[in-house]
Coordinates of all heavy atoms in Angstrom, one line a residue:
G543 N -11.4 8.6 33.4 CA -10.9 9.8 34.0 C -11.3 9.9 35.4 O -10.7 10.4 36.3
A544 N -12.6 9.6 35.7 CA -13.2 9.7 37.0 C -12.5 8.7 38.0 O -12.2 9.1 39.2 CB -14.8 9.3 37.0
I545 N -12.1 7.5 37.4 CA -11.3 6.6 38.3 C -10.0 7.1 38.7 O -9.6 7.2 39.8 CB -11.2 5.3 37.5 CG1 -12.5 4.5 37.5 CG2 -10.0 4.4 38.2 CD1 -12.5 3.2 36.6
S546 N -9.4 7.9 37.7 CA -8.1 8.5 38.0 C -8.2 9.5 39.0 O -7.3 9.8 39.8 CB -7.4 9.0 36.7 OG -8.0 10.2 36.3
Q547 N -9.3 10.4 39.0 CA -9.5 11.4 40.0 C -9.7 10.8 41.4 O -9.2 11.3 42.3 CB -10.7 12.3 39.5 CG -10.9 13.5 40.5 CD -9.8 14.5 40.5 OE1 -9.0 14.7 39.5 NE2 -9.6 15.2 41.6
T548 N -10.4 9.7 41.5 CA -10.6 9.1 42.7 C -9.3 8.7 43.3 O -9.0 8.7 44.4 CB -11.7 8.0 42.7 OG1 -13.0 8.5 42.2 CG2 -11.8 7.2 44.0
F549 N -8.5 8.0 42.4 CA -7.2 7.5 42.8 C -6.3 8.7 43.3 O -5.8 8.5 44.5 CB -6.6 6.9 41.5 CG -5.2 6.5 41.8 CD1 -4.9 5.2 42.4 CD2 -4.1 7.2 41.4 CE1 -3.6 4.8 42.5 CE2 -2.8 6.8 41.5 CZ -2.5 5.6 42.1
Y550 N -6.2 9.8 42.7 CA -5.4 10.9 43.0 C -5.8 11.3 44.4 O -5.1 11.6 45.4 CB -5.5 12.0 42.1 CG -4.4 12.1 41.1 CD1 -4.7 12.2 39.7 CD2 -3.1 12.1 41.4 CE1 -3.8 12.3 38.7 CE2 -2.1 12.3 40.5 CZ -2.3 12.3 39.1 OH -1.4 12.4 38.1
T551 N -7.2 11.5 44.6 CA -7.7 12.1 45.8 C -7.6 11.1 47.0 O -7.2 11.6 48.1 CB -9.2 12.5 45.6 OG1 -9.3 13.2 44.4 CG2 -9.7 13.3 46.7
A552 N -7.8 9.9 46.7 CA -7.6 8.9 47.8 C -6.1 8.8 48.2 O -5.8 8.7 49.4 CB -8.1 7.5 47.3
A553 N -5.2 8.8 47.1 CA -3.8 8.7 47.5 C -3.4 10.0 48.4 O -2.6 9.9 49.4 CB -3.0 8.7 46.2
A554 N -3.8 11.1 48.1 CA -3.6 12.3 49.0 C -4.2 12.1 50.3 O -3.5 12.4 51.4 CB -4.2 13.6 48.3
A555 N -5.3 11.5 50.5 CA -5.9 11.4 51.8 C -5.1 10.2 52.5 O -5.1 10.3 53.8 CB -7.3 11.0 51.7
L556 N -4.5 9.4 51.8 CA -3.7 8.3 52.5 C -2.2 8.7 52.7 O -1.4 7.9 53.2 CB -3.6 7.0 51.7 CG -5.1 6.3 51.6 CD1 -5.0 5.3 50.4 CD2 -5.4 5.6 52.8
R557 N -1.9 10.0 52.4 CA -0.5 10.5 52.6 C 0.4 9.8 51.7 O 1.6 9.5 52.0 CB -0.1 10.6 54.0 CG -0.6 11.6 54.8 CD -2.0 11.4 55.3 NE -2.5 12.4 56.3 CZ -3.8 12.4 56.8 NH1 -4.7 11.6 56.3 NH2 -4.2 13.3 57.6
L558 N 0.0 9.4 50.4 CA 0.9 8.7 49.4 C 1.1 9.7 48.3 O 0.3 10.5 47.9 CB 0.2 7.4 49.0 CG 0.0 6.4 50.0 CD1 -0.7 5.2 49.4 CD2 1.3 5.9 50.7
G559 N 2.2 9.4 47.6 CA 2.5 10.0 46.3 C 1.7 9.2 45.3 O 1.3 8.1 45.4
A560 N 1.5 10.0 44.2 CA 0.7 9.3 43.1 C 1.0 10.0 41.8 O 1.6 11.0 41.6 CB -0.9 9.5 43.4
G561 N 0.7 9.2 40.7 CA 0.8 9.7 39.3 C 0.0 8.9 38.4 O -0.4 7.7 38.7
V562 N -0.5 9.5 37.3 CA -1.4 8.8 36.3 C -0.6 9.2 35.0 O -0.2 10.2 34.7 CB -2.7 9.4 36.3 CG1 -3.5 8.8 35.1 CG2 -3.5 9.0 37.6
A563 N -0.5 8.1 34.1 CA 0.2 8.3 32.9 C -0.5 7.6 31.7 O -1.2 6.5 31.9 CB 1.6 7.7 33.0
L564 N -0.4 8.1 30.5 CA -1.0 7.5 29.3 C 0.1 7.0 28.4 O -0.2 6.4 27.4 CB -1.8 8.5 28.6 CG -3.1 9.1 29.3 CD1 -3.7 10.3 28.6 CD2 -4.1 8.0 29.4
G565 N 1.4 7.2 28.7 CA 2.4 6.9 27.7 C 3.0 5.6 27.9 O 4.2 5.4 28.3
F566 N 2.2 4.6 27.5 CA 2.7 3.2 27.7 C 2.2 2.4 26.5 O 1.2 2.8 25.8 CB 2.1 2.7 29.1 CG 0.6 2.5 29.2 CD1 0.0 1.3 28.9 CD2 -0.1 3.6 29.5 CE1 -1.4 1.2 29.0 CE2 -1.6 3.5 29.6 CZ -2.1 2.3 29.3
D567 N 2.7 1.2 26.3 CA 2.3 0.3 25.3 C 1.1 -0.5 25.7 O 1.3 -1.5 26.4 CB 3.5 -0.6 24.8 CG 3.1 -1.5 23.7 OD1 2.0 -1.3 23.1 OD2 4.0 -2.4 23.3
S568 N -0.1 -0.1 25.3 CA -1.3 -0.8 25.7 C -1.4 -2.2 25.2 O -1.9 -3.1 26.0 CB -2.5 0.0 25.2 OG -2.5 1.3 25.7
V569 N -0.8 -2.5 24.0 CA -0.9 -3.9 23.5 C -0.2 -4.9 24.4 O -0.4 -5.9 24.6 CB -0.4 -3.8 22.1 CG1 -0.4 -5.3 21.5 CG2 -1.3 -3.0 21.1
S570 N 1.0 -4.4 24.9 CA 1.7 -5.3 25.8 C 1.0 -5.6 27.0 O 1.1 -6.7 27.5 CB 3.1 -4.6 26.2 OG 4.0 -4.4 25.1
Y571 N 0.3 -4.7 27.6 CA -0.6 -5.0 28.7 C -1.7 -6.0 28.4 O -2.1 -6.8 29.1 CB -1.2 -3.7 29.3 CG -0.2 -2.9 30.1 CD1 0.8 -2.2 29.6 CD2 -0.4 -2.9 31.6 CE1 1.7 -1.5 30.4 CE2 0.6 -2.2 32.3 CZ 1.5 -1.4 31.7 OH 2.5 -0.8 32.5
V572 N -2.3 -5.8 27.2 CA -3.3 -6.8 26.8 C -2.6 -8.2 26.6 O -3.3 -9.2 27.1 CB -3.8 -6.4 25.3 CG1 -4.7 -7.5 24.7 CG2 -4.6 -5.1 25.4
E573 N -1.4 -8.3 26.2 CA -0.7 -9.6 26.1 C -0.4 -10.1 27.4 O -0.5 -11.3 27.8 CB 0.5 -9.4 25.2 CG 0.2 -9.0 23.7 CD 1.3 -8.6 22.9 OE1 2.4 -8.4 23.6 OE2 1.2 -8.6 21.7
E574 N 0.2 -9.3 28.4 CA 0.6 -9.7 29.6 C -0.5 -10.2 30.5 O -0.4 -11.1 31.3 CB 1.3 -8.5 30.3 CG 1.9 -8.9 31.7 CD 3.1 -9.7 31.7 OE1 3.6 -10.1 30.4 OE2 3.8 -10.1 32.7
L575 N -1.7 -9.5 30.3 CA -2.9 -9.9 31.3 C -3.8 -10.8 30.5 O -5.0 -11.0 31.1 CB -3.6 -8.6 31.6 CG -2.8 -7.7 32.6 CD1 -3.4 -6.3 32.8 CD2 -2.6 -8.3 34.0
A576 N -3.5 -11.2 29.3 CA -4.4 -12.1 28.5 C -5.8 -11.5 28.3 O -6.8 -12.2 28.7 CB -4.3 -13.5 29.0
L577 N -5.9 -10.3 27.8 CA -7.2 -9.6 27.7 C -7.8 -9.6 26.3 O -8.9 -9.2 26.1 CB -7.0 -8.1 28.0 CG -6.4 -7.8 29.5 CD1 -6.2 -6.4 29.7 CD2 -7.3 -8.5 30.5
A578 N -7.1 -10.2 25.3 CA -7.6 -10.3 23.9 C -9.0 -10.9 23.8 O -9.9 -10.4 23.1 CB -6.6 -11.0 23.0
D579 N -9.2 -12.0 24.6 CA -10.5 -12.7 24.4 C -11.7 -11.9 25.1 O -12.8 -12.0 24.7 CB -10.4 -14.1 25.1 CG -9.6 -15.1 24.2 OD1 -9.4 -14.7 23.1 OD2 -9.1 -16.0 24.8
T580 N -11.3 -11.1 26.1 CA -12.3 -10.3 26.8 C -12.6 -9.0 26.2 O -13.7 -8.3 26.5 CB -12.0 -10.1 28.3 OG1 -10.8 -9.3 28.4 CG2 -11.8 -11.5 29.0
G581 N -11.8 -8.6 25.3 CA -12.0 -7.2 24.6 C -11.8 -6.1 25.6 O -12.2 -4.9 25.2
E582 N -10.9 -6.3 26.7 CA -10.6 -5.2 27.5 C -9.5 -4.2 27.0 O -8.5 -4.8 26.5 CB -10.2 -5.7 28.9 CG -11.3 -6.4 29.6 CD -10.9 -7.1 30.9 OE1 -10.4 -6.4 31.8 OE2 -10.9 -8.4 30.9
F583 N -9.6 -3.0 27.2 CA -8.7 -2.0 26.7 C -8.0 -1.4 28.0 O -8.8 -0.8 28.8 CB -9.2 -0.9 25.9 CG -9.4 -1.3 24.4 CD1 -9.6 -2.6 23.9 CD2 -9.5 -0.2 23.4 CE1 -9.8 -2.8 22.7 CE2 -9.8 -0.6 22.1 CZ -9.9 -1.8 21.7
P584 N -6.7 -1.5 28.1 CA -6.0 -0.8 29.3 C -5.9 0.7 28.8 O -5.3 1.0 27.8 CB -4.7 -1.5 29.4 CG -4.7 -2.7 28.5 CD -5.7 -2.4 27.5
L585 N -6.5 1.6 29.5 CA -6.5 3.0 29.1 C -5.7 4.0 29.8 O -5.4 5.1 29.2 CB -8.0 3.4 29.2 CG -9.0 2.7 28.3 CD1 -10.5 3.1 28.6 CD2 -8.7 3.0 26.8
L586 N -5.2 3.6 30.9 CA -4.1 4.5 31.6 C -3.6 3.6 32.7 O -4.1 2.5 33.0 CB -4.7 5.8 32.1 CG -6.0 5.9 32.9 CD1 -5.7 5.5 34.4 CD2 -6.4 7.3 33.0
I587 N -2.4 4.1 33.2 CA -1.8 3.5 34.5 C -1.7 4.5 35.6 O -1.5 5.7 35.3 CB -0.4 2.8 34.1 CG1 0.5 4.0 33.6 CG2 -0.6 1.7 33.1 CD1 1.9 3.5 33.2
M588 N -1.9 3.9 36.8 CA -2.1 4.9 37.9 C -1.0 4.3 39.0 O -1.0 3.1 39.4 CB -3.4 4.9 38.5 CG -4.5 5.1 37.5 SD -6.2 5.3 38.2 CE -6.5 3.7 38.9

Side-chain angles (χ1 to χ4, degrees):
I545 287 171
S546 72
Q547 181 64 29
T548 299
F549 174 82
Y550 264 128
T551 313
L556 292 166
R557 282 77 174 176
L558 296 176
V562 173
L564 295 169
F566 64 100
D567 182 9
S568 301
V569 175
S570 292
Y571 281 74
V572 170
E573 296 168 347
E574 182 75 0
L575 295 168
L577 304 179
D579 290 341
T580 62
E582 296 171 62
F583 279 24
L585 295 172
L586 49 73
I587 55 177
M588 308 185 299

